[in-house]
Amino acid sequence: MTDLQTAAEAGTVGIERDRPAQRPRRRDKVFGFGFVVPLLAFITLAFNLPLLLTAAWSLVDPVSGSLTIAHYVEFATSSIYWTVIARTARVAFIVSVLCAVIGYPLAYWMTLLSRRGQVIALAIIVTSFWVSILVRTYAWIVVLGNAGLVNRALQYLGVIDRPIEFLYGELGVIIGMVNVLLPFMLLPLYAAMRQVDPRLRAVAYTLGASQGEFFRRVFFPLSLPALSASFVLVFILSLGFYITPAILGGGRVPLIANMLDILINRFPRWNLASAMSVVLLVLTLVLYGVYQRLRSRRGAASGQG
Amino acid sequence: MSSERLPIQGGSRVASSALAVTGSAVLAFLALPIIIVVPMSFSSAESLRFPPPGFSLRWYEAFFGDPQWLEAAVNSLVIGVTSSSLALILGTLAAYGLVRGTFLGRSALEANFIMPMVIPPVIIAVALYIFFAKLSILGAYWALIVAHIVVATPYVVLLMSLAIRAFDIRVEQVALTLGASHMQMLTRVLLPNILPNATAAWLFAFVISFDEVVVTLFVAGTHFTVPKRMFNQLVLQINPTITAIATLLIAFSIIAVAIGAWLTKGAGLQSGEEKG
């Protein structure tokens, strides 16, 4: 903490030093760099360096200290890790598809609501978004448990005799993850849909299109880039999910993040954990690049509209 | 938008109501955790039953009467206040440099500063765990605060960049032309003007830190925060005290974010898009 304060003070000193003598010269090539120095120093030490070292440790043999790709080979050849990686990819894909399938109609419906209705819907989404993931995950234990709301309702209605085991399996994990990640689908999608020029609708109707035709041939194609961008975003976030699988999966549905926890805390295999982190990091960054490209395409589409 | 909408033709009325039903159902699904947890926290039942059989404040008493939970709450507050304050200082200075600076590589630096928000928290957790362990500072209180600053700073950089970009640069130039130093301009012209945004950024950073679980679980050592204790309890057993804590956390998040959104007049809602 004291180091940080010193760093912050050092930054202030830096600002004084950078100040041009008399008047500010805006064209000065290094103007403003002093302001960035404190955070740059902090992020370099507390974030970039640990990440770089993680990459380095993933290539080191813990016993001899020599360079090795054995940890990566272990992933590629071990069925345990493949199972976890395959499950993570499958769960992430299902969660993203479900978010898209139930998120799209809601976002579209919201654009048709009155101003007041839109504000209420947004308030619900944003509230749910800001409530702690732990709280939201916890609620699903109550709702989906064997004596939970859903099971008791189904039994009361006579649909089932014995409770359905939602929890401690993939189904519960997926329901919980969709609930947590849905706002990441809804907020950008709704924002993009609102950018579609409303005059297009009037033009389409004037030219004789039905509501369905307008949706299929004008609205949906225009919202597609935003939909795919949000799909990728939810997929990325699912890949690194830890809390929901740990609680709703009861340890039976470990995803990559839970595997990392086991590798670090249960049987210390730090180099292997580092290698797995690097794989997850590279995957995340590649997909994030895709996400950014899709987002900029969204910008272009709304620009035309 | 909706005002431009033409009257819907008869044939699509079914489609419209189907859309309305689907939309409301999805909204209900989204709100369900809150709708369930809040009433249950006031339940008099020993077990988790919904609807609650009677009203009682016993789970709140259980929370406030438990020294371990109170210790976790104090830790969360201290870590949250310290890390969000330091994140605000570091992030605001950096945001100013990024927005007003003329040096090369600003967008690369900004991308680097935003990175902790983009990559999965578990990667940061693993990297910091091994890094802190090798430096023998794993489990140190201040190291935990450092980890929280890493996680909270991107939000400050984003929000403050928006605020500074929206502030008229000519006001700054006038102050500098009239002989103010950069530091004087910053503290006496710019900061008073963007104080609402700075307060909002601090609040968001505080909520992020207060909610942070994954990184905390890895690097906290023997220290407990509210989310860490909650997580440990949830993995082991179902304890109704958690409903009370969950309700307090819901109220806390909603109030903090509502104040933040009000201070930035809604800008904070959009920034929420990127919460990792």
Side-chain angles (χ1 to χ4, degrees):
Chain A
M1 212 162 89
T2 44
D3 292 340
L4 292 171
Q5 277 157 356
T6 324
E9 277 155 24
T12 329
V13 174
I15 292 159
E16 290 297 330
R17 202 174 41 229
D18 270 4
R19 177 160 55 96
Q22 283 298 313
R23 321 172 37 211
R25 284 169 299 139
R26 306 300 304 188
R27 283 196 206 131
D28 192 335
K29 274 209 176 92
V30 291
F31 173 78
F33 189 69
F35 294 96
V36 182
V37 168
L39 184 58
L40 183 59
F42 178 79
I43 287 290
T44 306
L45 277 176
F47 178 72
N48 295 354
L49 187 60
L51 275 189
L52 285 174
L53 288 173
T54 304
W57 284 314
S58 75
L59 292 166
V60 168
D61 186 292
V63 182
S64 65
S66 55
L67 280 179
T68 174
I69 57 159
H71 308 299
Y72 291 96
V73 173
E74 194 172 340
F75 279 127
T77 52
S78 156
S79 63
I80 305 167
Y81 300 121
W82 263 119
T83 311
V84 173
I85 291 170
R87 180 189 296 128
T88 309
R90 185 176 66 238
V91 167
F93 183 75
I94 296 172
V95 167
S96 319
V97 169
L98 286 175
C99 280
V101 167
I102 69 172
Y104 193 94
L106 173 56
Y108 182 64
W109 182 56
M110 281 168 67
T111 62
L112 303 175
L113 291 176
S114 66
R115 181 97 199 100
R116 194 189 163 87
Q118 294 188 23
V119 170
I120 294 170
L122 263 185
I124 293 173
I125 297 167
V126 171
T127 306
S128 132
F129 177 82
W130 277 102
V131 166
S132 154
I133 289 180
L134 270 176
V135 173
R136 281 183 280 168
T137 304
Y138 167 64
W140 289 106
I141 296 182
V142 181
V143 177
L144 298 175
N146 282 349
L149 196 60
V150 173
N151 269 320
R152 287 200 303 125
L154 290 177
Q155 278 172 314
Y156 179 78
L157 293 171
V159 182
I160 51 170
D161 309 326
R162 267 183 308 173
I164 304 174
E165 288 214 12
F166 291 106
L167 296 181
Y168 314 124
E170 225 169 85
L171 185 59
V173 173
I174 287 170
I175 294 174
M177 282 174 74
V178 169
N179 183 259
V180 171
L181 291 173
L182 195 54
F184 291 95
M185 173 65 70
L186 285 169
L187 291 172
L189 199 53
Y190 169 72
M193 284 179 178
R194 281 200 48 172
Q195 279 174 17
V196 174
D197 194 327
R199 283 171 301 185
L200 286 175
R201 185 186 293 272
V203 169
Y205 288 170
T206 313
L207 294 175
S210 69
Q211 207 192 13
E213 268 179 315
F214 166 73
F215 178 80
R216 269 195 310 279
R217 295 176 59 182
V218 182
F219 193 89
F220 186 73
L222 279 176
S223 64
L224 200 55
L227 181 65
S228 19
S230 302
F231 183 90
V232 176
L233 179 65
V234 172
F235 189 83
I236 297 173
L237 292 169
S238 305
L239 285 181
F241 241 57
Y242 174 84
I243 299 298
T244 313
I247 293 175
L248 294 179
R252 283 188 233 167
V253 194
L255 303 189
I256 291 180
N258 311 99
M259 200 67 215
L260 280 171
D261 174 35
I262 295 168
L263 288 176
I264 289 276
N265 290 315
R266 204 144 340 142
F267 31 89
R269 295 209 50 196
W270 293 359
N271 303 81
L272 194 60
S274 300
M276 202 161 194
S277 295
V278 171
V279 172
L280 182 57
L281 180 63
V282 170
L283 208 59
T284 304
L285 290 179
V286 168
L287 287 171
Y288 191 71
V290 173
Y291 167 68
Q292 289 292 12
R293 286 200 64 156
L294 289 167
R295 251 168 61 121
S296 56
R297 259 178 63 203
R298 179 189 92 178
S302 65
Q304 288 163 9
Chain B
M1 281 93 278
S2 58
S3 55
E4 308 267 347
R5 153 172 73 122
L6 297 182
I8 293 164
Q9 292 101 351
S12 38
R13 208 162 271 155
V14 178
S16 296
S17 23
L19 191 61
V21 170
T22 315
S24 326
V26 177
L27 272 183
F29 168 71
L30 212 50
L32 191 64
I34 304 168
I35 298 171
I36 294 290
V37 165
V38 176
M40 292 226 324
S41 72
F42 297 105
S43 167
S44 56
E46 193 66 49
S47 61
L48 294 169
R49 283 185 53 192
F50 193 89
F55 175 85
S56 155
L57 288 175
R58 60 187 293 192
W59 304 118
Y60 290 89
E61 283 159 17
F63 171 69
F64 286 107
D66 183 341
Q68 287 189 314
W69 277 113
L70 288 185
E71 192 203 325
V74 169
N75 278 342
S76 281
L77 280 174
V78 170
I79 293 165
V81 168
T82 318
S83 58
S84 56
S85 303
L86 289 169
L88 184 68
I89 296 168
L90 293 171
T92 305
L93 286 173
Y96 185 78
L98 290 174
V99 173
R100 299 289 195 232
T102 47
F103 59 93
L104 285 173
R106 272 167 300 146
S107 54
L109 265 187
E110 185 172 11
N112 190 11
F113 292 158
I114 301 301
M115 262 273 268
M117 196 169 83
V118 174
I119 70 173
V122 73
I123 292 179
I124 304 175
V126 169
L128 287 182
Y129 180 93
I130 303 180
F131 184 62
F132 286 170
K134 300 243 170 181
L135 292 177
S136 305
I137 53 170
L138 186 66
Y141 205 80
W142 67 269
L144 181 56
I145 292 173
V146 165
H148 276 240
I149 300 173
V150 170
V151 178
T153 309
Y155 298 87
V156 176
V157 173
L158 269 186
L159 284 170
M160 294 314 283
S161 295
L162 284 175
I164 293 166
R165 206 165 279 136
F167 184 72
D168 194 338
I169 191 171
R170 285 170 302 184
V171 181
E172 289 174 28
Q173 285 164 341
V174 167
L176 294 172
T177 314
L178 293 174
S181 72
H182 257 102
M183 213 52 213
Q184 282 174 318
M185 187 282 294
L186 210 63
T187 52
R188 292 170 61 181
V189 178
L190 181 64
L191 267 183
N193 277 288
I194 57 171
L195 196 61
N197 303 74
T199 316
W202 186 89
L203 270 173
F204 285 119
F206 183 77
V207 172
I208 295 296
S209 162
F210 205 91
D211 271 352
E212 164 52 46
V213 208
V214 181
V215 174
T216 312
L217 279 175
F218 276 74
V219 304
T222 54
H223 301 291
F224 272 96
T225 63
V226 171
K228 187 186 167 189
R229 189 165 283 283
M230 255 179 103
F231 179 82
N232 286 358
Q233 299 247 318
L234 287 182
V235 174
L236 291 175
Q237 40 151 346
I238 294 170
N239 175 353
T241 311
I242 307 244
T243 53
I245 301 153
T247 305
L248 292 173
L249 283 180
I250 292 171
F252 162 78
S253 308
I254 292 176
I255 292 168
V257 174
I259 296 173
W262 174 68
L263 285 168
T264 56
K265 297 183 183 69
L269 299 186
Q270 273 142 31
S271 75
E273 266 184 43
E274 301 278 348
K275 184 188 178 191

Short mmCIF file of all heavy atoms in Angstrom, two decimals, chain B residues 175-215:
data_model
loop_
_atom_site.label_atom_id
_atom_site.label_comp_id
_atom_site.label_asym_id
_atom_site.label_seq_id
_atom_site.Cartn_x
_atom_site.Cartn_y
_atom_site.Cartn_z
N ALA B 175 -7.58 28.24 -18.77
CA ALA B 175 -6.94 28.24 -17.46
C ALA B 175 -5.42 28.23 -17.60
O ALA B 175 -4.71 28.97 -16.92
CB ALA B 175 -7.40 27.02 -16.66
N LEU B 176 -4.91 27.42 -18.54
CA LEU B 176 -3.47 27.33 -18.73
C LEU B 176 -2.92 28.64 -19.29
O LEU B 176 -1.86 29.11 -18.88
CB LEU B 176 -3.14 26.17 -19.67
CG LEU B 176 -3.47 24.77 -19.12
CD1 LEU B 176 -3.28 23.71 -20.21
CD2 LEU B 176 -2.59 24.44 -17.93
N THR B 177 -3.68 29.24 -20.21
CA THR B 177 -3.23 30.50 -20.81
C THR B 177 -3.18 31.60 -19.76
O THR B 177 -2.33 32.47 -19.79
CB THR B 177 -4.20 30.92 -21.94
OG1 THR B 177 -4.45 29.79 -22.74
CG2 THR B 177 -3.63 32.03 -22.76
N LEU B 178 -4.10 31.53 -18.79
CA LEU B 178 -4.13 32.55 -17.74
C LEU B 178 -3.08 32.28 -16.67
O LEU B 178 -3.08 32.92 -15.63
CB LEU B 178 -5.52 32.62 -17.10
CG LEU B 178 -6.63 33.13 -18.03
CD1 LEU B 178 -7.98 33.01 -17.37
CD2 LEU B 178 -6.36 34.58 -18.45
N GLY B 179 -2.22 31.28 -16.89
CA GLY B 179 -1.08 31.10 -16.01
C GLY B 179 -1.21 29.99 -15.00
O GLY B 179 -0.34 29.82 -14.15
N ALA B 180 -2.29 29.20 -15.07
CA ALA B 180 -2.39 28.09 -14.14
C ALA B 180 -1.41 26.99 -14.55
O ALA B 180 -1.17 26.80 -15.74
CB ALA B 180 -3.82 27.53 -14.13
N SER B 181 -0.85 26.32 -13.56
CA SER B 181 -0.02 25.17 -13.88
C SER B 181 -0.95 24.02 -14.23
O SER B 181 -2.16 24.07 -13.97
CB SER B 181 0.85 24.80 -12.70
OG SER B 181 0.05 24.22 -11.69
N HIS B 182 -0.38 22.94 -14.80
CA HIS B 182 -1.23 21.80 -15.13
C HIS B 182 -1.90 21.23 -13.90
O HIS B 182 -3.04 20.83 -13.93
CB HIS B 182 -0.40 20.73 -15.85
CG HIS B 182 -0.64 20.73 -17.31
ND1 HIS B 182 0.24 21.30 -18.20
CD2 HIS B 182 -1.69 20.28 -18.03
CE1 HIS B 182 -0.25 21.19 -19.42
NE2 HIS B 182 -1.42 20.57 -19.34
N MET B 183 -1.14 21.21 -12.80
CA MET B 183 -1.68 20.64 -11.57
C MET B 183 -2.82 21.52 -11.05
O MET B 183 -3.87 21.02 -10.64
CB MET B 183 -0.56 20.53 -10.52
CG MET B 183 -0.71 19.35 -9.62
SD MET B 183 -0.93 17.83 -10.55
CE MET B 183 -2.00 16.94 -9.44
N GLN B 184 -2.63 22.83 -11.11
CA GLN B 184 -3.69 23.77 -10.67
C GLN B 184 -4.92 23.63 -11.54
O GLN B 184 -6.05 23.59 -11.05
CB GLN B 184 -3.18 25.22 -10.74
CG GLN B 184 -2.29 25.60 -9.58
CD GLN B 184 -1.72 27.00 -9.78
OE1 GLN B 184 -1.32 27.36 -10.88
NE2 GLN B 184 -1.68 27.77 -8.71
N MET B 185 -4.68 23.52 -12.86
CA MET B 185 -5.81 23.38 -13.78
C MET B 185 -6.59 22.11 -13.44
O MET B 185 -7.82 22.09 -13.37
CB MET B 185 -5.27 23.34 -15.22
CG MET B 185 -6.33 23.37 -16.29
SD MET B 185 -7.09 21.76 -16.50
CE MET B 185 -5.68 20.86 -17.14
N LEU B 186 -5.82 21.03 -13.20
CA LEU B 186 -6.44 19.73 -12.93
C LEU B 186 -7.27 19.77 -11.66
O LEU B 186 -8.43 19.35 -11.64
CB LEU B 186 -5.34 18.67 -12.81
CG LEU B 186 -5.67 17.26 -13.23
CD1 LEU B 186 -6.02 17.21 -14.70
CD2 LEU B 186 -4.48 16.35 -12.96
N THR B 187 -6.69 20.32 -10.58
CA THR B 187 -7.38 20.25 -9.29
C THR B 187 -8.43 21.35 -9.14
O THR B 187 -9.38 21.18 -8.40
CB THR B 187 -6.37 20.37 -8.11
OG1 THR B 187 -5.57 21.53 -8.34
CG2 THR B 187 -5.51 19.15 -8.02
N ARG B 188 -8.25 22.49 -9.83
CA ARG B 188 -9.17 23.59 -9.59
C ARG B 188 -10.13 23.87 -10.73
O ARG B 188 -11.12 24.59 -10.56
CB ARG B 188 -8.39 24.85 -9.22
CG ARG B 188 -7.73 24.65 -7.85
CD ARG B 188 -6.74 25.70 -7.48
NE ARG B 188 -7.28 27.04 -7.41
CZ ARG B 188 -6.56 28.10 -7.12
NH1 ARG B 188 -5.27 27.96 -6.84
NH2 ARG B 188 -7.09 29.28 -7.09
N VAL B 189 -9.86 23.32 -11.90
CA VAL B 189 -10.79 23.53 -13.02
C VAL B 189 -11.43 22.21 -13.45
O VAL B 189 -12.65 22.06 -13.41
CB VAL B 189 -10.07 24.18 -14.23
CG1 VAL B 189 -11.04 24.34 -15.39
CG2 VAL B 189 -9.48 25.52 -13.81
N LEU B 190 -10.59 21.26 -13.84
CA LEU B 190 -11.16 20.03 -14.40
C LEU B 190 -11.88 19.20 -13.34
O LEU B 190 -13.04 18.84 -13.51
CB LEU B 190 -10.05 19.20 -15.06
CG LEU B 190 -10.52 17.90 -15.71
CD1 LEU B 190 -11.47 18.18 -16.87
CD2 LEU B 190 -9.34 17.07 -16.20
N LEU B 191 -11.19 18.91 -12.22
CA LEU B 191 -11.78 18.00 -11.22
C LEU B 191 -13.12 18.48 -10.66
O LEU B 191 -14.05 17.68 -10.58
CB LEU B 191 -10.78 17.73 -10.10
CG LEU B 191 -9.91 16.48 -10.30
CD1 LEU B 191 -9.00 16.27 -9.09
CD2 LEU B 191 -10.75 15.24 -10.56
N PRO B 192 -13.24 19.77 -10.27
CA PRO B 192 -14.55 20.20 -9.77
C PRO B 192 -15.65 19.99 -10.80
O PRO B 192 -16.78 19.68 -10.45
CB PRO B 192 -14.34 21.70 -9.50
CG PRO B 192 -12.88 21.85 -9.32
CD PRO B 192 -12.24 20.83 -10.19
N ASN B 193 -15.31 20.09 -12.08
CA ASN B 193 -16.32 19.94 -13.12
C ASN B 193 -16.72 18.49 -13.36
O ASN B 193 -17.82 18.23 -13.80
CB ASN B 193 -15.83 20.57 -14.43
CG ASN B 193 -16.08 22.06 -14.46
OD1 ASN B 193 -17.22 22.50 -14.58
ND2 ASN B 193 -15.03 22.84 -14.29
N ILE B 194 -15.75 17.59 -13.16
CA ILE B 194 -16.09 16.18 -13.41
C ILE B 194 -16.24 15.42 -12.10
O ILE B 194 -16.22 14.20 -12.09
CB ILE B 194 -15.06 15.49 -14.34
CG1 ILE B 194 -13.66 15.59 -13.75
CG2 ILE B 194 -15.10 16.07 -15.74
CD1 ILE B 194 -12.65 14.76 -14.50
N LEU B 195 -16.45 16.16 -11.01
CA LEU B 195 -16.58 15.51 -9.70
C LEU B 195 -17.72 14.47 -9.66
O LEU B 195 -17.53 13.39 -9.10
CB LEU B 195 -16.77 16.57 -8.61
CG LEU B 195 -16.54 16.07 -7.18
CD1 LEU B 195 -15.12 15.56 -7.02
CD2 LEU B 195 -16.83 17.16 -6.17
N PRO B 196 -18.90 14.77 -10.25
CA PRO B 196 -19.95 13.74 -10.24
C PRO B 196 -19.49 12.45 -10.91
O PRO B 196 -19.72 11.36 -10.40
CB PRO B 196 -21.08 14.39 -11.05
CG PRO B 196 -20.84 15.84 -10.95
CD PRO B 196 -19.36 16.01 -10.88
N ASN B 197 -18.78 12.58 -12.06
CA ASN B 197 -18.29 11.38 -12.74
C ASN B 197 -17.25 10.65 -11.90
O ASN B 197 -17.22 9.43 -11.87
CB ASN B 197 -17.67 11.76 -14.09
CG ASN B 197 -18.65 12.50 -14.97
OD1 ASN B 197 -18.94 13.67 -14.73
ND2 ASN B 197 -19.19 11.82 -15.94
N ALA B 198 -16.39 11.44 -11.22
CA ALA B 198 -15.36 10.82 -10.39
C ALA B 198 -16.01 10.06 -9.25
O ALA B 198 -15.60 8.93 -8.92
CB ALA B 198 -14.40 11.89 -9.86
N THR B 199 -17.06 10.65 -8.66
CA THR B 199 -17.76 9.96 -7.58
C THR B 199 -18.39 8.67 -8.10
O THR B 199 -18.30 7.61 -7.46
CB THR B 199 -18.87 10.86 -7.00
OG1 THR B 199 -18.35 12.17 -6.85
CG2 THR B 199 -19.37 10.34 -5.68
N ALA B 200 -19.01 8.76 -9.28
CA ALA B 200 -19.63 7.57 -9.87
C ALA B 200 -18.57 6.50 -10.15
O ALA B 200 -18.78 5.32 -9.85
CB ALA B 200 -20.36 7.95 -11.15
N ALA B 201 -17.44 6.94 -10.71
CA ALA B 201 -16.38 5.98 -11.03
C ALA B 201 -15.89 5.29 -9.75
O ALA B 201 -15.65 4.09 -9.72
CB ALA B 201 -15.22 6.69 -11.73
N TRP B 202 -15.78 6.09 -8.67
CA TRP B 202 -15.35 5.52 -7.39
C TRP B 202 -16.37 4.48 -6.91
O TRP B 202 -15.98 3.39 -6.48
CB TRP B 202 -15.20 6.64 -6.35
CG TRP B 202 -14.63 6.17 -5.06
CD1 TRP B 202 -13.31 6.10 -4.73
CD2 TRP B 202 -15.35 5.68 -3.92
NE1 TRP B 202 -13.16 5.58 -3.47
CE2 TRP B 202 -14.39 5.31 -2.94
CE3 TRP B 202 -16.71 5.50 -3.62
CZ2 TRP B 202 -14.75 4.80 -1.69
CZ3 TRP B 202 -17.07 4.98 -2.39
CH2 TRP B 202 -16.10 4.63 -1.44
N LEU B 203 -17.64 4.82 -7.03
CA LEU B 203 -18.70 3.90 -6.60
C LEU B 203 -18.67 2.60 -7.39
O LEU B 203 -18.77 1.51 -6.83
CB LEU B 203 -20.08 4.56 -6.76
CG LEU B 203 -20.60 5.35 -5.57
CD1 LEU B 203 -21.87 6.07 -5.96
CD2 LEU B 203 -20.88 4.41 -4.40
N PHE B 204 -18.54 2.72 -8.72
CA PHE B 204 -18.50 1.51 -9.55
C PHE B 204 -17.29 0.66 -9.16
O PHE B 204 -17.40 -0.56 -9.03
CB PHE B 204 -18.46 1.86 -11.03
CG PHE B 204 -19.79 2.33 -11.57
CD1 PHE B 204 -19.95 3.59 -12.11
CD2 PHE B 204 -20.90 1.48 -11.53
CE1 PHE B 204 -21.18 4.01 -12.59
CE2 PHE B 204 -22.14 1.90 -12.00
CZ PHE B 204 -22.27 3.17 -12.54
N ALA B 205 -16.14 1.32 -8.99
CA ALA B 205 -14.93 0.59 -8.61
C ALA B 205 -15.14 -0.09 -7.26
O ALA B 205 -14.74 -1.24 -7.05
CB ALA B 205 -13.73 1.54 -8.56
N PHE B 206 -15.82 0.60 -6.36
CA PHE B 206 -16.09 0.05 -5.03
C PHE B 206 -16.98 -1.20 -5.13
O PHE B 206 -16.71 -2.23 -4.51
CB PHE B 206 -16.74 1.11 -4.15
CG PHE B 206 -16.99 0.66 -2.75
CD1 PHE B 206 -15.95 0.59 -1.83
CD2 PHE B 206 -18.27 0.28 -2.34
CE1 PHE B 206 -16.18 0.15 -0.53
CE2 PHE B 206 -18.50 -0.16 -1.05
CZ PHE B 206 -17.45 -0.22 -0.15
N VAL B 207 -18.03 -1.10 -5.96
CA VAL B 207 -18.94 -2.25 -6.12
C VAL B 207 -18.18 -3.42 -6.75
O VAL B 207 -18.33 -4.57 -6.32
CB VAL B 207 -20.16 -1.87 -6.99
CG1 VAL B 207 -20.99 -3.10 -7.33
CG2 VAL B 207 -21.03 -0.86 -6.26
N ILE B 208 -17.34 -3.13 -7.75
CA ILE B 208 -16.55 -4.19 -8.39
C ILE B 208 -15.68 -4.88 -7.35
O ILE B 208 -15.62 -6.11 -7.26
CB ILE B 208 -15.67 -3.60 -9.53
CG1 ILE B 208 -16.52 -3.02 -10.66
CG2 ILE B 208 -14.70 -4.64 -10.06
CD1 ILE B 208 -17.36 -4.02 -11.40
N SER B 209 -14.99 -4.07 -6.54
CA SER B 209 -14.11 -4.64 -5.52
C SER B 209 -14.92 -5.42 -4.48
O SER B 209 -14.53 -6.51 -4.06
CB SER B 209 -13.30 -3.54 -4.85
OG SER B 209 -12.77 -3.98 -3.62
N PHE B 210 -16.05 -4.85 -4.08
CA PHE B 210 -16.85 -5.47 -3.03
C PHE B 210 -17.43 -6.81 -3.50
O PHE B 210 -17.61 -7.72 -2.71
CB PHE B 210 -18.00 -4.52 -2.64
CG PHE B 210 -18.50 -4.74 -1.24
CD1 PHE B 210 -17.96 -4.04 -0.17
CD2 PHE B 210 -19.50 -5.66 -0.99
CE1 PHE B 210 -18.41 -4.24 1.12
CE2 PHE B 210 -19.96 -5.87 0.31
CZ PHE B 210 -19.41 -5.17 1.36
N ASP B 211 -17.69 -6.92 -4.81
CA ASP B 211 -18.27 -8.14 -5.37
C ASP B 211 -17.23 -9.16 -5.81
O ASP B 211 -17.57 -10.29 -6.12
CB ASP B 211 -19.11 -7.80 -6.61
CG ASP B 211 -20.55 -7.48 -6.26
OD1 ASP B 211 -20.91 -7.66 -5.09
OD2 ASP B 211 -21.29 -7.02 -7.14
N GLU B 212 -16.00 -8.73 -5.90
CA GLU B 212 -14.95 -9.58 -6.49
C GLU B 212 -14.79 -10.88 -5.70
O GLU B 212 -14.54 -10.87 -4.51
CB GLU B 212 -13.64 -8.78 -6.54
CG GLU B 212 -12.39 -9.58 -6.76
CD GLU B 212 -12.48 -10.49 -7.97
OE1 GLU B 212 -12.93 -10.06 -9.05
OE2 GLU B 212 -12.11 -11.67 -7.81
N VAL B 213 -14.92 -12.01 -6.41
CA VAL B 213 -14.82 -13.31 -5.74
C VAL B 213 -13.60 -14.10 -6.20
O VAL B 213 -12.79 -14.54 -5.37
CB VAL B 213 -16.03 -14.23 -6.04
CG1 VAL B 213 -16.24 -15.18 -4.90
CG2 VAL B 213 -17.27 -13.44 -6.36
N VAL B 214 -13.47 -14.28 -7.51
CA VAL B 214 -12.52 -15.27 -8.01
C VAL B 214 -11.09 -14.91 -7.61
O VAL B 214 -10.37 -15.72 -7.01
CB VAL B 214 -12.65 -15.42 -9.54
CG1 VAL B 214 -11.68 -16.45 -10.04
CG2 VAL B 214 -14.07 -15.82 -9.90
N VAL B 215 -10.68 -13.67 -7.93
CA VAL B 215 -9.31 -13.26 -7.61
C VAL B 215 -9.11 -13.32 -6.09
O VAL B 215 -8.07 -13.79 -5.61
CB VAL B 215 -9.03 -11.84 -8.17
CG1 VAL B 215 -7.68 -11.34 -7.72
CG2 VAL B 215 -9.11 -11.86 -9.68
#
